[in-house]
Amino acid sequence: MDAYDGGSNARHGPDRPAEPGVPAESGVPAESGGPAVPDPPAEPRAGIAALSLRYQIGVALALAVVAVGVCVHLGMTFLHVAPPNTVTREHGKAVDDWIYPEFEQNWKLFAPNPLQQNISIQVRAEVRDGEGGTLTTGWYDLSAEDGRAIDGNLLPSHTQQNELRRAWDFFLATHDGENRPVGLRGSLSESYLRRIVVLRLDRDDAVRATTGGGGAIERVQVRSRTSNVPAPQWSREKVSTTPAYRELPWWRVPADEAGGGVR
């Protein structure tokens, strides 16, 4: 009996299609002789990982320098605004050298005595009219003008909030109680404050309001009006609300500033 007999010894298997899930017989690979399946392409690198090793080291060093600089700056700022302590007493000069003048902070951490006074800066001027006479303006309350510009303004400018106030603080810090300059920055503070008030008078058209026509500002005088904030109704504290004035001497205005031309 040979292999072509249809009896019970006839071979099967290879002539029948393989059932699903049943492995192929006689060790013949399922896809014998077929093309090799390529591996999927690798994901492209992005960000710093895409750089060469040399550039990665450079970026890491740059980030480290920036991080150290930020930490040093935050530490110096904290020491500057913090109450006096052992570190500031020992290294106060180094802290001041780092902060001034670029990073000056006008606030104190844990301030024990917040301001309880209202201070307004006022100015008046001597104006030369077209006929050679001299007239004196009334007092212009520049702080009140800034207050009206800020009130209800969601985004007030830095000038409206701080320019005049900081100029007055600068003057007080460089002058004694007799309005005499102390140190080398005294004359600078006077020039700075004088230019600000002359520009404000020019903005308010003070010359035309005084002379009714043309003219020029010859001298200006600045004063401060200081009054205590009234105590709340529930407090028993008695506070005088009578304003106190500090008048500065008359300052002559240079010709190039008289018309408000110096910006």
Side-chain angles (χ1 to χ4, degrees):
M1 185 179 291
D2 57 21
Y4 294 100
D5 247 341
S8 60
N9 292 329
R11 64 177 183 176
H12 1 227
D15 296 334
R16 294 183 306 168
E19 296 181 6
V22 178
E25 297 180 4
S26 66
V28 180
E31 306 219 345
S32 177
V37 180
D39 293 333
E43 291 290 334
R45 295 185 298 176
I48 298 178
L51 302 175
S52 64
L53 178 60
R54 181 177 61 178
Y55 287 105
Q56 289 182 8
I57 294 174
V59 171
L61 290 176
L63 291 177
V65 171
V66 171
V68 171
V70 170
C71 291
V72 170
H73 179 69
L74 292 178
M76 290 293 191
T77 304
F78 175 83
L79 292 174
H80 177 67
V81 301
N85 54 73
T86 304
V87 177
T88 54
R89 283 191 291 269
E90 187 72 21
H91 306 287
K93 187 178 185 305
V95 174
D96 290 342
D97 290 343
W98 179 275
I99 293 295
Y100 294 106
E102 290 84 1
F103 307 117
E104 180 181 359
Q105 302 293 321
N106 195 35
W107 57 282
K108 294 296 181 182
L109 194 63
F110 312 120
N113 186 24
L115 292 177
Q116 299 180 2
Q117 294 176 325
N118 290 320
I119 302 175
S120 61
I121 309 303
Q122 303 173 351
V123 63
R124 64 178 177 176
E126 283 186 356
V127 179
R128 184 182 68 253
D129 60 18
E131 299 177 356
T134 301
L135 301 173
T136 303
T137 69
W139 289 99
Y140 285 79
D141 194 335
L142 305 182
S143 296
E145 293 178 1
D146 286 346
R148 287 192 293 269
I150 294 172
D151 189 23
N153 188 348
L154 296 178
L155 297 172
S157 71
H158 178 76
T159 300
Q160 294 166 339
Q161 297 178 83
N162 297 319
E163 181 186 57
L164 185 62
R165 177 178 60 84
R166 295 298 305 277
W168 181 250
D169 289 344
F170 184 26
F171 178 87
L172 295 181
T174 55
H175 288 73
D176 60 16
E178 301 297 325
N179 301 321
R180 294 173 299 196
V182 177
L184 300 177
R185 300 202 300 169
S187 59
L188 176 62
S189 67
E190 292 181 6
S191 300
Y192 183 54
L193 182 59
R194 186 188 67 237
R195 291 189 178 197
I196 289 175
V197 298
V198 169
L199 288 173
R200 297 291 185 91
L201 290 171
D202 181 65
R203 183 191 307 169
D204 292 336
D205 205 6
V207 172
R208 184 174 299 276
T210 304
T211 65
I217 297 176
E218 290 192 326
R219 298 197 303 170
V220 293
Q221 185 181 29
V222 180
R223 75 177 183 182
S224 66
R225 181 184 186 276
T226 304
S227 59
N228 293 320
V229 176
Q233 296 181 353
W234 47 263
S235 174
R236 296 182 179 179
E237 183 181 4
K238 302 298 182 182
V239 178
S240 173
T241 57
T242 303
Y245 293 89
R246 176 174 178 173
E247 288 191 0
L248 306 186
W250 284 92
W251 291 333
R252 183 163 297 280
V253 178
D256 59 348
E257 296 179 23
V262 176
R263 295 286 191 260

